[in-house]
Amino acid sequence: EAGVAQSPRYKIIEKRQSVAFWCNPISGHATLYWYQQILGQGPKLLIQFQNNGVVDDSQLPKDRFSAERLKGVDSTLKIQPAKLEDSAVYLCASLSQGGVYAGELFFGEGSRLTVL
Amino acid sequence: QQPVQSPQAVILREGEDAVINCSSSKALYSVHWYRQKHGEAPVFLMILLKGGEQKGHDKISASFNEKKQQSSLYLTASQLSYSGTYFCGTVNTGTASKLTFGTGTRLQVTL
C-alpha cells in the first residue's frame, strides 16, 4: 500500500514570497490533516478535511495560509506571503477507517520550509 | 488546548525503564501515542479510548486515566531503537476528530 506522498521535500524562499505544498493521501482515506511542526515542538494542527469539506481550520492563519482539497483526494497548502516564523516542517497526514477514535494517522515525510 | 508532557527529555541506558506522562486540562475521549525519529515523520504506537483501557505491544505499554485526564507511556527494558521524540495526541470530548499533539518528550537510549 502506497503511503502519504508529499512534495516538495525541501523549499527555501525569501520572506514575502509564496510557496505551495502538495499532499496525496493513502487511497480511500477520507480525512486529511495538515500540521505545522516548528523545530523542537509538537505538530500543530492547521486544517482538517473530511472528503473535500473543512472540518477544522481554527488555527490556520487565514490572512496568509490557504488550503484546498478538490475532489476529496489530494490537497494543496499555500502560504502567501511567507514570514520568517513560517519556517517549519509541514506534515500531511491521512486517517484510516474508523475515525480518529479508532484509527491511526499516517504521516507523509513532510515538507521542510526555510524562510530567509 | 495542547496537552503537557513530562519529562521534557530523558536519557536511559539500554535495558532501563522509562515512563512518559501526558496531561490534559480538558476531558479526554482518547489518547494517541506517536514516536518521531530525527528527520522522519511521526509513527503511530497505540490508541487508548475512554474507559481506562491499558494497551501494550512488545515492551511498550500505556494507560489512560480519564478521571485525571492523564495517560502514561511505559517503556520497559529500553532498546537503542526506542530513541526518538514521543508525542501524545489527545482527542477531547466534543471536538469531533481533532487530534492535538503534546509538547513532546525526547528519549535517548545509550549503550
Side-chain angles (χ1 to χ4, degrees):
Chain A
E1 180 181 67
V4 176
Q6 288 190 247
S7 67
R9 287 294 312 279
Y10 305 93
K11 189 74 176 178
I12 300 174
I13 61 174
E14 301 272 335
K15 61 183 179 183
R16 289 187 290 273
Q17 286 186 324
S18 63
V19 63
F21 302 113
W22 173 82
C23 171
N24 192 21
I26 292 173
S27 177
H29 284 193
T31 306
L32 184 149
Y33 302 81
W34 282 102
Y35 283 89
Q36 178 194 58
Q37 187 173 27
I38 293 172
L39 187 64
Q41 299 182 18
K44 171 189 168 185
L45 180 64
L46 292 176
I47 190 166
Q48 176 188 341
F49 292 96
Q50 179 74 20
N51 295 311
N52 60 351
V54 175
V55 174
D56 188 298
D57 64 354
S58 57
Q59 298 188 94
L60 186 74
K62 298 181 186 63
D63 58 333
R64 299 184 300 106
F65 286 65
S66 64
E68 60 182 10
R69 190 183 183 197
L70 300 175
K71 300 180 182 179
V73 181
D74 56 350
S75 175
T76 303
L77 176 70
K78 296 180 181 177
I79 307 174
Q80 182 178 11
K83 291 186 175 181
L84 296 177
E85 58 261 36
D86 297 332
S87 294
V89 176
Y90 291 86
L91 294 165
C92 177
S94 67
L95 183 61
S96 61
Q97 291 181 357
V100 74
Y101 301 121
E104 65 176 278
L105 268 62
F106 291 86
F107 284 87
E109 293 185 312
S111 294
R112 183 179 297 275
L113 174 66
T114 301
V115 182
L116 304 175
Chain B
Q1 194 82 16
Q2 184 179 35
V4 177
Q5 292 182 230
S6 64
Q8 288 187 331
V10 59
I11 300 175
L12 298 173
R13 289 192 183 274
E14 199 173 23
E16 292 182 335
D17 303 338
V19 180
I20 299 171
N21 300 303
C22 173
S23 180
S24 174
S25 60
K26 294 188 175 182
L28 293 175
Y29 188 88
S30 64
V31 179
H32 304 224
W33 285 97
Y34 285 78
R35 177 171 59 209
Q36 185 177 33
K37 293 185 180 287
H38 183 70
E40 299 180 9
V43 173
F44 170 80
L45 293 176
M46 65 187 76
I47 295 175
L48 298 102
L49 301 177
K50 189 176 178 180
E53 185 176 0
Q54 182 152 352
K55 274 194 173 181
H57 63 85
D58 197 12
K59 294 174 183 173
I60 300 176
S61 62
S63 63
F64 179 19
N65 187 327
E66 61 190 82
K67 288 185 178 179
K68 293 186 177 180
Q69 295 161 190
Q70 293 176 348
S71 177
S72 295
L73 185 72
Y74 306 94
L75 299 109
T76 306
S78 58
Q79 305 167 16
L80 294 175
S81 62
Y82 287 2
S83 294
T85 301
Y86 289 77
F87 293 101
C88 67
T90 56
V91 177
N92 296 115
T93 303
T95 60
S97 54
K98 181 176 179 177
L99 182 64
T100 302
F101 283 95
T103 49
T105 296
R106 188 176 303 174
L107 178 75
Q108 183 180 354
V109 181
T110 63
L111 289 171

